[in-house]
């Protein structure tokens, strides 16, 4: 039984994390934004923009991953932790590197050899146990499991390092600075320190240490002509809107109000407070914030969508319909607004 449990643990360790374990967040504006900021990177990677899909995952951890073909999953915690659009683009460039290299379909290249090692160790352990050498059998199994894990981890670290370099190439081709990528890896490094993750042993990890990744990438990015290119102002403004909307939706209302206090009337702040008031059961205050948002731009379909949504979900169906119709008129190709 102990042998079976050890093998099961190894098998689970070799499997990618399940995408279905978290909730999926759908928002027309956010998904349009993902498509816009990723388009030059997708082109640089030689991929078809129609085939790459972005999925926002409701998870506070700072993470992103690729699974199921050309689907990029981005955790909500990654967006709320990012300071600018270039940091998000740096992460997307890395994930596109996984897609371009076909890492999903090449998973067996790493798992296969590791599984063979574990099976051979199982056979050796079983023979030892059958011969009456139980302790020797468990030692064989333990060594085999360690060797299998080590081989697989080396494989994934190599993939990650290659993908970091591919992401740097895509950013360069798209004329986007790598400063965002470096800043984001430094955030991950800070998280490793906070979680007391050892910084002296890279061999027990699926990814290289963030400090290693920063050192390897800095020498590439600093030579790139785009290094000193600032974030696109229009995209940065959209990023701030998306971030404010997301924080309003996923964070506890008191924390939202602390981050976006009354009197701050940027689009991000109005979005955040509108969602926070609406989620906490204060429709009048939510409508006040939404009305201020619409006043910034009466023709913005996403502002109108939010106003209509609050009216609809507050039971004011008749009042919501004209607002939602105007939103659809301004964004006739957004199915999530239409429905």
């Amino acid at each position: 039984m102990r042998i079976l449990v050890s093998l099961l643990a190894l098998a689970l360790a070799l499997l990618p994390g399940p995408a279905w374990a978290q909730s999926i967040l759908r928002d027309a504006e956010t998904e349009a934004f993902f498509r816009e900021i990723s388009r030059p990177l997708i082109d640089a990677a030689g991929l078809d923009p129609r085939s790459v899909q972005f999925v926002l995952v409701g998870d506070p951890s700072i993470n992103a991953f690729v699974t199921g073909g050309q689907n990029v999953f981005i955790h909500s915690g990654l967006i709320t932790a990012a300071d600018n659009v270039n940091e998000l683009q740096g992460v997307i460039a890395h994930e596109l590197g996984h897609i371009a290299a076909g890492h999903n379909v090449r998973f067996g290249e790493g798992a296969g050899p590791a599984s063979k090692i574990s099976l051979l160790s199982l056979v050796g352990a079983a023979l030892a146990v059958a011969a009456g050498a139980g302790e020797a059998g468990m030692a064989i199994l333990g060594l085999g499991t360690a060797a299998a894990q080590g081989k697989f981890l080396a494989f994934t670290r190599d993939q990650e390092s290659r993908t970091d370099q591919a992401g740097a190439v895509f950013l360069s081709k798209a004329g986007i600075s790598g400063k965002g990528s470096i800043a984001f890896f430094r955030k991950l490094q800070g998280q490793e320190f906070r979680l007391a993750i050892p910084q002296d042993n890279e061999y027990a990890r699926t990814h290289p240490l963030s400090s290693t990744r920063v050192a390897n990438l800095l020498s590439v990015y600093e030579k790139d002509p785009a290094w000193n290119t600032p974030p696109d102002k229009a995209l940065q403004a959209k990023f701030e809107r998306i971030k404010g909307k997301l924080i309003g939706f996923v964070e506890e209302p008191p924390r939202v109000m602390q981050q976006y206090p009354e009197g701050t009337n940027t689009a991000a702040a109005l979005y955040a407070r509108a969602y926070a008031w609406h989620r906490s059961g204060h429709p009048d205050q939510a409508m006040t914030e939404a009305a201020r948002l619409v006043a910034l731009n009466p023709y913005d379909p996403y502002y109108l969508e939010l106003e209509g949504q609050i009216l609809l979900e507050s039971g004011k169906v008749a009042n919501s319909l004209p607002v939602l119709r105007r939103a659809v008129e301004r964004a006739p190709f957004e199915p999530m607004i239409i429905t």
Side-chain angles (χ1 to χ4, degrees):
M1 179 60 72
R2 291 175 64 189
I3 293 176
L4 178 59
V5 170
S6 296
L7 286 175
L8 179 59
L10 173 62
L12 291 174
L14 298 182
L15 291 175
W20 45 262
Q22 300 96 351
S23 61
I24 303 301
L25 306 180
R26 299 295 309 277
D27 176 66
E29 182 178 13
T30 301
E31 292 181 13
F33 175 69
F34 284 156
R35 291 193 296 270
E36 183 177 6
I37 65 172
S38 65
R39 180 58 187 264
L41 296 167
I42 293 172
D43 290 340
L47 300 170
D48 185 348
R50 296 169 297 181
S51 299
V52 180
Q53 302 297 321
F54 291 89
V55 181
L56 180 61
V57 180
D59 190 305
S61 61
I62 303 175
N63 194 24
F65 59 94
V66 172
T67 190
Q70 299 188 24
N71 299 311
V72 180
F73 291 79
I74 299 175
H75 284 201
S76 57
L78 188 152
I79 296 176
T80 58
D83 292 322
N84 60 59
V85 66
N86 278 177
E87 291 185 17
L88 182 54
Q89 286 176 311
V91 173
I92 289 174
H94 174 88
E95 298 306 326
L96 293 176
H98 282 301
I99 294 176
H103 285 169
N104 274 338
V105 297
R106 297 178 61 190
F107 177 78
E109 293 180 15
S115 298
K116 289 178 181 178
I117 293 172
S118 65
L119 288 173
L120 288 173
S121 67
L122 174 60
V123 172
L127 291 173
V129 171
E135 291 186 4
M138 291 308 299
I140 292 171
L141 180 62
L143 290 171
T145 299
Q149 289 178 329
K151 190 169 186 64
F152 182 74
L153 293 175
F155 171 78
T156 61
R157 285 195 305 275
D158 181 67
Q159 279 194 336
E160 292 298 329
S161 295
R162 292 175 184 272
T163 303
D164 285 346
Q165 296 299 318
V169 171
F170 302 157
L171 287 168
S172 178
K173 287 183 178 179
I176 298 171
S177 173
K179 287 183 178 180
S181 174
I182 294 297
F184 194 80
F185 278 128
R186 284 178 171 153
K187 280 186 171 68
L188 293 180
Q189 186 177 7
Q191 186 180 51
E192 290 171 357
F193 283 126
R194 287 192 297 274
L195 296 175
I197 295 175
Q199 299 293 301
D200 57 352
N201 181 14
E202 199 165 83
Y203 300 103
R205 294 166 51 99
T206 58
H207 292 55
L209 289 168
S210 296
S211 57
T212 301
R213 302 172 88 172
V214 168
N216 291 340
L217 286 170
L218 262 179
S219 61
V220 176
Y221 285 135
E222 288 180 336
K223 298 174 184 176
D224 191 84
W227 174 248
N228 289 315
T229 302
D232 182 280
K233 290 183 178 180
L235 292 182
Q236 178 62 22
K238 291 181 180 180
F239 168 77
E240 290 170 2
R241 280 175 53 160
I242 295 297
K243 182 175 177 177
K245 173 188 280 192
L246 182 60
I247 288 174
F249 186 77
V250 302
E251 298 286 358
E252 291 299 319
R255 186 171 180 180
V256 176
M257 300 305 176
Q258 183 179 28
Q259 189 163 349
Y260 296 99
E262 289 288 345
T264 308
N265 292 320
T266 62
L270 294 171
Y271 252 144
R273 293 199 301 270
Y275 272 103
W277 284 123
H278 185 50
R279 289 173 51 231
S280 57
H282 295 83
D284 292 339
Q285 291 92 328
M287 271 305 306
T288 297
E289 302 293 357
R292 290 174 180 168
L293 198 58
V294 172
L296 294 179
N297 183 354
Y299 304 104
D300 190 302
Y302 306 115
Y303 295 167
L304 292 167
E305 178 195 21
L306 175 59
E307 185 178 44
Q309 176 188 354
I310 293 172
L311 288 168
L312 180 65
E313 295 177 1
S314 300
K316 300 177 181 179
V317 179
N319 293 337
S320 72
L321 294 178
V323 179
L324 291 172
R325 289 192 185 103
R326 291 203 303 274
V328 171
E329 289 171 1
R330 296 295 171 183
F333 302 109
E334 285 289 359
M336 277 187 283
I337 295 180
I338 295 172
T339 55

Short mmCIF file of all heavy atoms in Angstrom, two decimals, residues 135-165:
data_model
loop_
_atom_site.label_atom_id
_atom_site.label_comp_id
_atom_site.label_asym_id
_atom_site.label_seq_id
_atom_site.Cartn_x
_atom_site.Cartn_y
_atom_site.Cartn_z
N GLU A 135 12.93 -3.02 3.74
CA GLU A 135 13.56 -1.70 3.86
C GLU A 135 14.34 -1.34 2.60
O GLU A 135 14.32 -0.20 2.13
CB GLU A 135 14.48 -1.68 5.08
CG GLU A 135 13.74 -1.75 6.41
CD GLU A 135 14.67 -1.57 7.59
OE1 GLU A 135 15.88 -1.33 7.36
OE2 GLU A 135 14.20 -1.67 8.74
N ALA A 136 15.01 -2.33 2.02
CA ALA A 136 15.74 -2.08 0.77
C ALA A 136 14.78 -1.72 -0.35
O ALA A 136 15.06 -0.84 -1.18
CB ALA A 136 16.56 -3.31 0.41
N GLY A 137 13.61 -2.40 -0.36
CA GLY A 137 12.62 -2.10 -1.38
C GLY A 137 12.13 -0.68 -1.29
O GLY A 137 12.01 0.01 -2.31
N MET A 138 11.85 -0.22 -0.08
CA MET A 138 11.40 1.16 0.07
C MET A 138 12.49 2.15 -0.29
O MET A 138 12.22 3.22 -0.83
CB MET A 138 10.93 1.39 1.51
CG MET A 138 9.64 0.65 1.87
SD MET A 138 8.29 0.93 0.69
CE MET A 138 8.09 2.70 0.83
N ALA A 139 13.74 1.80 0.00
CA ALA A 139 14.86 2.68 -0.37
C ALA A 139 14.97 2.79 -1.88
O ALA A 139 15.18 3.88 -2.44
CB ALA A 139 16.16 2.15 0.23
N ILE A 140 14.80 1.66 -2.57
CA ILE A 140 14.85 1.67 -4.04
C ILE A 140 13.73 2.54 -4.59
O ILE A 140 13.93 3.35 -5.51
CB ILE A 140 14.74 0.24 -4.58
CG1 ILE A 140 16.00 -0.56 -4.23
CG2 ILE A 140 14.52 0.23 -6.09
CD1 ILE A 140 15.89 -2.05 -4.54
N LEU A 141 12.54 2.37 -4.02
CA LEU A 141 11.40 3.17 -4.49
C LEU A 141 11.63 4.66 -4.26
O LEU A 141 11.36 5.49 -5.11
CB LEU A 141 10.13 2.72 -3.78
CG LEU A 141 8.85 3.47 -4.18
CD1 LEU A 141 8.56 3.27 -5.66
CD2 LEU A 141 7.69 3.04 -3.33
N GLY A 142 12.16 4.99 -3.07
CA GLY A 142 12.41 6.39 -2.77
C GLY A 142 13.43 7.02 -3.70
O GLY A 142 13.24 8.13 -4.20
N LEU A 143 14.50 6.29 -3.97
CA LEU A 143 15.52 6.81 -4.89
C LEU A 143 14.95 6.96 -6.30
O LEU A 143 15.24 7.93 -7.00
CB LEU A 143 16.73 5.87 -4.90
CG LEU A 143 17.59 5.85 -3.62
CD1 LEU A 143 18.62 4.73 -3.70
CD2 LEU A 143 18.27 7.20 -3.44
N GLY A 144 14.14 5.98 -6.71
CA GLY A 144 13.55 6.05 -8.04
C GLY A 144 12.59 7.22 -8.18
O GLY A 144 12.58 7.91 -9.20
N THR A 145 11.78 7.42 -7.15
CA THR A 145 10.85 8.55 -7.16
C THR A 145 11.60 9.88 -7.23
O THR A 145 11.24 10.77 -8.01
CB THR A 145 9.96 8.53 -5.90
OG1 THR A 145 9.21 7.31 -5.88
CG2 THR A 145 9.00 9.71 -5.89
N ALA A 146 12.66 10.00 -6.44
CA ALA A 146 13.46 11.23 -6.47
C ALA A 146 14.09 11.45 -7.84
O ALA A 146 14.12 12.57 -8.36
CB ALA A 146 14.54 11.17 -5.39
N ALA A 147 14.59 10.37 -8.45
CA ALA A 147 15.21 10.49 -9.77
C ALA A 147 14.19 10.88 -10.82
O ALA A 147 14.46 11.70 -11.70
CB ALA A 147 15.89 9.17 -10.14
N ALA A 148 12.99 10.27 -10.75
CA ALA A 148 11.94 10.59 -11.71
C ALA A 148 11.50 12.04 -11.59
O ALA A 148 11.36 12.75 -12.59
CB ALA A 148 10.75 9.65 -11.50
N GLN A 149 11.28 12.49 -10.35
CA GLN A 149 10.89 13.88 -10.14
C GLN A 149 11.98 14.83 -10.62
O GLN A 149 11.69 15.86 -11.25
CB GLN A 149 10.58 14.11 -8.67
CG GLN A 149 9.29 13.46 -8.22
CD GLN A 149 9.01 13.67 -6.75
OE1 GLN A 149 9.94 13.79 -5.94
NE2 GLN A 149 7.74 13.70 -6.37
N GLY A 150 13.23 14.51 -10.32
CA GLY A 150 14.33 15.36 -10.74
C GLY A 150 14.41 15.50 -12.24
O GLY A 150 14.65 16.59 -12.77
N LYS A 151 14.21 14.40 -12.95
CA LYS A 151 14.27 14.43 -14.41
C LYS A 151 13.14 15.27 -14.98
O LYS A 151 13.34 16.07 -15.90
CB LYS A 151 14.21 13.01 -14.98
CG LYS A 151 14.52 12.94 -16.48
CD LYS A 151 14.70 11.52 -16.94
CE LYS A 151 15.16 11.46 -18.40
NZ LYS A 151 16.50 12.07 -18.58
N PHE A 152 11.94 15.08 -14.42
CA PHE A 152 10.80 15.85 -14.92
C PHE A 152 10.96 17.34 -14.62
O PHE A 152 10.66 18.20 -15.45
CB PHE A 152 9.50 15.33 -14.31
CG PHE A 152 8.28 16.05 -14.81
CD1 PHE A 152 7.80 15.81 -16.09
CD2 PHE A 152 7.63 16.98 -14.01
CE1 PHE A 152 6.69 16.48 -16.56
CE2 PHE A 152 6.52 17.65 -14.48
CZ PHE A 152 6.04 17.40 -15.75
N LEU A 153 11.41 17.68 -13.41
CA LEU A 153 11.59 19.08 -13.05
C LEU A 153 12.65 19.75 -13.92
O LEU A 153 12.51 20.92 -14.29
CB LEU A 153 11.96 19.20 -11.57
CG LEU A 153 10.86 18.79 -10.57
CD1 LEU A 153 11.40 18.83 -9.15
CD2 LEU A 153 9.65 19.69 -10.72
N ALA A 154 13.71 19.03 -14.25
CA ALA A 154 14.73 19.58 -15.14
C ALA A 154 14.13 19.88 -16.51
O ALA A 154 14.45 20.90 -17.14
CB ALA A 154 15.89 18.60 -15.27
N PHE A 155 13.25 18.99 -16.96
CA PHE A 155 12.57 19.19 -18.25
C PHE A 155 11.71 20.45 -18.22
O PHE A 155 11.77 21.28 -19.15
CB PHE A 155 11.70 17.96 -18.55
CG PHE A 155 10.80 18.11 -19.73
CD1 PHE A 155 11.29 17.99 -21.03
CD2 PHE A 155 9.44 18.34 -19.56
CE1 PHE A 155 10.44 18.12 -22.12
CE2 PHE A 155 8.59 18.48 -20.65
CZ PHE A 155 9.10 18.36 -21.93
N THR A 156 10.91 20.64 -17.16
CA THR A 156 10.04 21.81 -17.11
C THR A 156 10.84 23.10 -16.95
O THR A 156 10.48 24.14 -17.52
CB THR A 156 9.02 21.70 -15.96
OG1 THR A 156 9.70 21.60 -14.71
CG2 THR A 156 8.13 20.47 -16.16
N ARG A 157 11.93 23.07 -16.18
CA ARG A 157 12.76 24.27 -16.03
C ARG A 157 13.36 24.68 -17.37
O ARG A 157 13.44 25.86 -17.69
CB ARG A 157 13.88 24.04 -15.00
CG ARG A 157 13.42 24.06 -13.56
CD ARG A 157 14.60 24.20 -12.61
NE ARG A 157 15.62 23.17 -12.83
CZ ARG A 157 15.58 21.96 -12.28
NH1 ARG A 157 14.59 21.62 -11.48
NH2 ARG A 157 16.55 21.08 -12.52
N ASP A 158 13.79 23.68 -18.15
CA ASP A 158 14.34 23.98 -19.47
C ASP A 158 13.27 24.60 -20.37
O ASP A 158 13.54 25.57 -21.09
CB ASP A 158 14.89 22.70 -20.10
CG ASP A 158 15.49 22.96 -21.47
OD1 ASP A 158 16.53 23.66 -21.55
OD2 ASP A 158 14.91 22.48 -22.48
N GLN A 159 12.06 24.07 -20.30
CA GLN A 159 10.96 24.65 -21.07
C GLN A 159 10.71 26.10 -20.68
O GLN A 159 10.53 26.97 -21.54
CB GLN A 159 9.68 23.83 -20.87
CG GLN A 159 9.57 22.58 -21.71
CD GLN A 159 8.16 22.02 -21.71
OE1 GLN A 159 7.37 22.25 -20.79
NE2 GLN A 159 7.82 21.29 -22.75
N GLU A 160 10.69 26.36 -19.38
CA GLU A 160 10.42 27.71 -18.91
C GLU A 160 11.51 28.68 -19.35
O GLU A 160 11.23 29.82 -19.75
CB GLU A 160 10.28 27.73 -17.39
CG GLU A 160 9.05 27.02 -16.87
CD GLU A 160 7.75 27.65 -17.34
OE1 GLU A 160 7.72 28.88 -17.55
OE2 GLU A 160 6.76 26.91 -17.50
N SER A 161 12.76 28.26 -19.27
CA SER A 161 13.87 29.13 -19.69
C SER A 161 13.78 29.45 -21.17
O SER A 161 13.99 30.60 -21.60
CB SER A 161 15.21 28.46 -19.37
OG SER A 161 15.38 28.30 -17.98
N ARG A 162 13.50 28.43 -21.97
CA ARG A 162 13.35 28.65 -23.41
C ARG A 162 12.18 29.57 -23.71
O ARG A 162 12.23 30.41 -24.61
CB ARG A 162 13.18 27.31 -24.14
CG ARG A 162 14.43 26.43 -24.13
CD ARG A 162 14.14 25.08 -24.75
NE ARG A 162 15.28 24.18 -24.68
CZ ARG A 162 16.24 24.12 -25.59
NH1 ARG A 162 16.18 24.91 -26.66
NH2 ARG A 162 17.25 23.29 -25.46
N THR A 163 11.10 29.41 -22.95
CA THR A 163 9.92 30.23 -23.16
C THR A 163 10.17 31.68 -22.76
O THR A 163 9.65 32.61 -23.39
CB THR A 163 8.73 29.66 -22.37
OG1 THR A 163 8.52 28.30 -22.78
CG2 THR A 163 7.46 30.43 -22.64
N ASP A 164 10.95 31.90 -21.70
CA ASP A 164 11.34 33.27 -21.34
C ASP A 164 12.04 33.95 -22.51
O ASP A 164 11.75 35.12 -22.83
CB ASP A 164 12.28 33.25 -20.13
CG ASP A 164 11.56 32.97 -18.83
OD1 ASP A 164 10.33 33.05 -18.79
OD2 ASP A 164 12.26 32.66 -17.84
N GLN A 165 12.95 33.24 -23.15
CA GLN A 165 13.69 33.81 -24.27
C GLN A 165 12.77 34.05 -25.47
O GLN A 165 12.89 35.05 -26.17
CB GLN A 165 14.85 32.88 -24.66
CG GLN A 165 15.90 32.71 -23.58
CD GLN A 165 16.58 34.01 -23.20
OE1 GLN A 165 16.90 34.84 -24.06
NE2 GLN A 165 16.79 34.22 -21.91
#
